[in-house]
Amino acid sequence: DIQMTQSPSSLSASVGDRVTITCRASRGIDNDVAWYQQKPGKLPNLLIYAGSTLQSGVPSRFSGSGSGTDFTLTIGSLQPEDVATYFCQAYLSAPPTFGQGTKVEV
Amino acid sequence: QVQLVQSGTEVKKPGASVKVSCKASGYTFSSYGISWVRQAPGQGPEWMGWISGYNGKTKYAQKFQGRVTMTMSTSTSTFYMELRSLRSDDTAVYYCARDWDVWGSLFFEYWGQGTLVTVSS
C-alpha cells in the first residue's frame, strides 16, 4: 500500500498569510492526489484532484502542485473560514490512502 | 442532485456485527461504484473497500478481509456494508462515498452524511 506522510500535523497562521501543506508518497503516484478540507463535525470536502485541478466552486486561493512523490496544497491568503483539517489522498491504485491530516488554525 | 443517505447511529457490543446502509439517488446507480470509508475520532479517513454499482463486484482492503461484506440492492438503489466481530477500535464514523467517475477513480466528491458506530461493552 502507498503511505502518505503529511506535514505539519498542525499550524497556526494569520489572516492573509500564505499557508503550505505537504504530502510525500512512499512511491511514485504520478499526479493521482486529491486534497480535502474537513471542518469539525462535517464531511470531507474535495478541494483539488489530479494534483492541481481545482474542484468546481472551490475558491481560487487554494492551489495544488506536485508529481511523483511530493505534493503541496497552498492556501494563497488564509481566511477565517479556512479553519479546518486538511487531508491528502493517493488514488493511483486500490487501496486509496489518506494522510493523517493538518489542522489549520487562524 | 446526487444524494447518499445513510442509516442512523449504532451502538454495539464487542463481538457483534453492524450493517450500515447507503441509499443513492440523483444519478444512474449502475454507472458508479461506492466506497466505504471510516474515520475514527481524531484520525484520517481509512478506505475499507469498494463495490461496483454495475455488477456488485467488490474489492476490500486487506485489513478488513474476512470481516467485512459489501452488498447492494438494485431494486432500492441501496448499498450495504456489514462489519463483523466488532472491537472497540472499530468505533468510528462510517461513510459511503461515490466514485469520482464511471471509470472508478477512487476519490470522492459525494459522501453520505456518515453513520457513527460506537463499540462498547
Side-chain angles (χ1 to χ4, degrees), chain B residues 18-109:
Chain B
V18 69
K19 192 169 186 177
V20 180
S21 67
C22 169
K23 184 171 176 63
S25 62
Y27 70 95
T28 303
F29 180 85
S30 60
S31 293
Y32 295 82
I34 288 284
S35 285
W36 288 90
V37 178
R38 75 178 187 179
Q39 189 170 25
Q43 302 296 311
E46 180 179 33
W47 184 81
M48 300 178 67
W50 171 89
I51 181 167
S52 166
Y54 175 68
N55 58 12
K57 177 182 174 182
T58 55
K59 195 179 303 182
Y60 301 139
Q62 189 167 11
K63 175 177 179 177
F64 299 100
Q65 287 274 4
R67 209 161 65 94
V68 71
T69 301
M70 296 176 187
T71 56
M72 67 180 191
S73 166
T74 54
S75 62
T76 60
S77 299
T78 302
F79 296 90
Y80 301 92
M81 186 281 299
E82 182 180 32
L83 187 63
R84 299 176 293 278
S85 302
L86 290 168
R87 308 183 288 254
S88 58
D89 63 358
D90 290 317
T91 294
V93 177
Y94 289 74
Y95 296 100
C96 58
R98 200 197 74 173
D99 290 352
W100 169 255
D101 56 26
V102 298
W103 295 279
S105 295
L106 291 176
F107 64 96
F108 315 110
E109 177 182 8

Side-chain angles (χ1 to χ4, degrees), chain A residues 1 34 36 38 42-46 49-50 55 87 89-91 93-96 98-100, chain B residues 35 37 39 42-47 59 61-62 95 100 105-109 111-114:
Chain A
D1 299 356
Y36 299 85
Q38 188 174 31
K42 301 296 186 181
L43 305 174
N45 179 45
L46 179 66
Y49 60 95
Q55 168 67 346
F87 297 97
Q89 182 215 337
Y91 59 87
S93 59
F98 294 82
Q100 283 304 300
Chain B
S35 285
V37 178
Q39 189 170 25
Q43 302 296 311
E46 180 179 33
W47 184 81
K59 195 179 303 182
Q62 189 167 11
Y95 296 100
W100 169 255
S105 295
L106 291 176
F107 64 96
F108 315 110
E109 177 182 8
W111 298 69
Q113 83 275 19

Side-chain angles (χ1 to χ4, degrees), chain A residues 43-95:
Chain A
L43 305 174
N45 179 45
L46 179 66
L47 298 175
I48 285 167
Y49 60 95
S52 61
T53 302
L54 199 66
Q55 168 67 346
S56 175
V58 173
S60 59
R61 64 180 179 274
F62 292 93
S63 64
S65 64
S67 185
T69 59
D70 294 313
F71 301 89
T72 299
L73 173 70
T74 299
I75 307 173
S77 176
L78 189 67
Q79 299 301 304
E81 61 266 32
D82 299 334
V83 169
T85 300
Y86 294 82
F87 297 97
C88 60
Q89 182 215 337
Y91 59 87
L92 176 66
S93 59

